[in-house]
Amino acid sequence: MSLYVEGLSKRAPNGGMTEFQEVMRQQLEKSMHKELDKLLSTGKGDAVQISRRDFEGFQKLFHRFLQVKGPSVDWAKIHRPPEDSIQPYEKIKAKGLPDNIADSLNKLVVVKLNGGLGTSMGCKGPKSLISVRNENTFLDLTVQQIEHLNKTYNADVPLVLMNSFNTDEDTKKILQKYTHHRVKIHTFNQSRYPRINKESLLPVAKDLGTTGENAEAWYPPGHGDIYNSFYNSGLLDQLIAEGKEYIFVSNIDNLGATVDLYILNHLMSQPNGKRCEFIMEVTDKTRADVKGGTLTQYDGKLRLLEIAQVPKAHVDEFKSVTKFKIFNTNNLWISLPAIKRLQEQNAMDMEIIVNPKTLDGGLNVVQLETAVGAAIKSFDNALGINVPRSRFLPVKTTSDLLLVMSNLYSLDAGSLTMSKKREFPTTPHVKLGSSFTKVHDYLTRFESIPDMLELDHLTVSGDVTFGKQVSLKGTVIIIANHGDRIDIPAGAVLENKIVSGNLRILDH
């Protein structure tokens, strides 16, 4: 990184800052303060007030960033969590449900992280507005799920969307269509932080605007910002005043993250002194999840360990499926009064994620971010629950989209469940090539979504199209060489086949 940070990272023998480093840090903070004031002077009205509050949060993060020395964990202190700190879901479910589960539902709020754009899938606007199943978007499915709960149990579970400055306007326009649904919907905005030049460590923004040369100057600082933004919005206090006690937080693109009544009941049935303030849903790692954050025991507390925090010498150990068997799904159940207490005590402790980016013009910048699950160590009686894989069904790519659009899943009241006709519960491994990356291109390449009930593995590469009612079974690999095109004919059944070149079909 910059010479400044290199200079700050060389510590005094006692691990603290040298006198010179302390002077350097103070100068950097002073320069940052001055630049942020300059930016505020370019704005008008409410925008200035909102930015001032955002900048306060940013300065706290920047202050901590300048004080961090090397990797934020001491590998020798990392231990596997004690047996009772991660409960199997089956044990939670075995308790059954009380008759008055509706009382518990009335104390719950569903929060969806809705700050992301659909750019990685070639779509404009919020990712939550991409159609994923029968013309239903991620947001449609979320509303249907909660409405179904509210009607079934005569309950009042509201939906809260954490938007970013990238998604807020488009999301609010679309919310009008849910006016007559039985779900109260609230929104609040994530902070907007300035990207900083990798060398000077000063903001690259010229003013508070988000267009023109400033379009790339800002970023939403990761979902760890939820605590600060939720508190600052006033919505946290409003929901507590309405008698709400817990939030269920998840990514809006995780179609497996539905309200689980057994986990909710477990939370609500704890004796007062032992009330669990934070539950993280984890699930067993497969080879595809080796980079996912894991739960560890550190200084006597449960702690989320992300790959970015791992010293280079231990990355392979971190990825091992034998030592770290589980990963964080980012489905979290968190106590509202606890969030309020920790915010007011300024005691929310989350590691800083330093995310380097290169802007379109080639400028190297840094984003300082935090992750929502990293705060687990700040909460009392935190717990992990090892849930079935079905609660982790994220749609990050068109390969994921193909799975959830197929007959592998059935849709009921906004929830997707694995079809009973599939003989084994694992999802197939699907890898679509670059011709399928954008949703529009992907849709034009399938006349209809193939039957995938008996599929184990699908790899498609190059210029390939699928006719109607194609059936894929076992392992299917389709590779069109550069300049060739492969059209899989309507009604074709491919079972354990390799298709290459100009539609030569071989047994696999």
Side-chain angles (χ1 to χ4, degrees), residues 135-286:
E135 302 302 309
N136 289 300
T137 66
F138 290 105
L139 189 53
D140 291 335
L141 295 176
T142 300
V143 171
Q144 287 168 27
Q145 286 164 21
I146 300 172
E147 183 176 42
H148 177 67
L149 264 184
N150 286 339
K151 283 179 172 173
T152 306
Y153 294 96
N154 193 21
D156 176 22
V157 178
L159 169 64
V160 173
L161 300 172
M162 179 167 88
N163 299 337
S164 69
F165 63 92
N166 290 320
T167 62
D168 189 52
E169 204 179 315
D170 290 336
T171 302
K172 279 184 175 159
K173 277 182 200 160
I174 217 85
L175 288 181
Q176 293 163 6
K177 78 185 234 192
Y178 306 117
T179 313
H180 300 296
H181 287 252
R182 193 170 159 177
V183 185
K184 285 183 195 145
I185 303 178
H186 308 274
T187 65
F188 69 94
N189 260 10
Q190 221 174 332
S191 306
R192 179 175 74 127
Y193 283 3
R195 284 177 166 154
I196 52 180
N197 184 308
K198 192 176 174 182
E199 292 308 317
S200 69
L201 296 186
L202 292 173
V204 297
K206 301 285 182 278
D207 56 52
L208 286 183
T210 54
T211 52
E213 62 174 345
N214 257 354
E216 292 189 297
W218 308 96
Y219 71 99
H223 40 54
D225 184 55
I226 184 172
Y227 305 109
N228 205 23
S229 299
F230 199 13
Y231 180 79
N232 285 339
S233 71
L235 192 52
L236 179 79
D237 283 331
Q238 182 190 322
L239 291 165
I240 288 173
E242 288 172 13
K244 306 299 182 190
E245 292 181 18
Y246 282 95
I247 53 174
F248 171 51
V249 184
S250 63
N251 299 351
I252 199 153
D253 64 7
N254 178 6
L255 294 175
T258 56
V259 171
D260 186 281
L261 297 177
Y262 298 101
I263 296 176
L264 176 67
N265 180 48
H266 181 75
L267 273 176
M268 296 296 184
S269 58
Q270 300 298 310
N272 271 345
K274 288 278 169 74
R275 259 301 175 70
C276 178
E277 293 185 343
F278 195 111
I279 281 179
M280 176 180 285
E281 294 185 32
V282 295
T283 195
D284 293 344
K285 253 189 195 182
T286 67

Side-chain angles (χ1 to χ4, degrees), residues 10 42 168 262 268 273 332 334 356 382 405 495:
K10 295 180 177 70
T42 66
D168 189 52
Y262 298 101
M268 296 296 184
L332 309 167
I334 313 171
M405 289 177 88
E495 184 167 3

Side-chain angles (χ1 to χ4, degrees), residues 4 8 17-31 66:
Y4 294 109
L8 287 171
M17 281 192 167
T18 64
E19 203 173 319
F20 168 69
Q21 286 171 330
E22 187 54 41
V23 170
M24 208 158 100
R25 185 188 63 74
Q26 285 176 10
Q27 277 181 343
L28 272 170
E29 292 204 34
K30 211 177 274 180
S31 302
L66 293 179

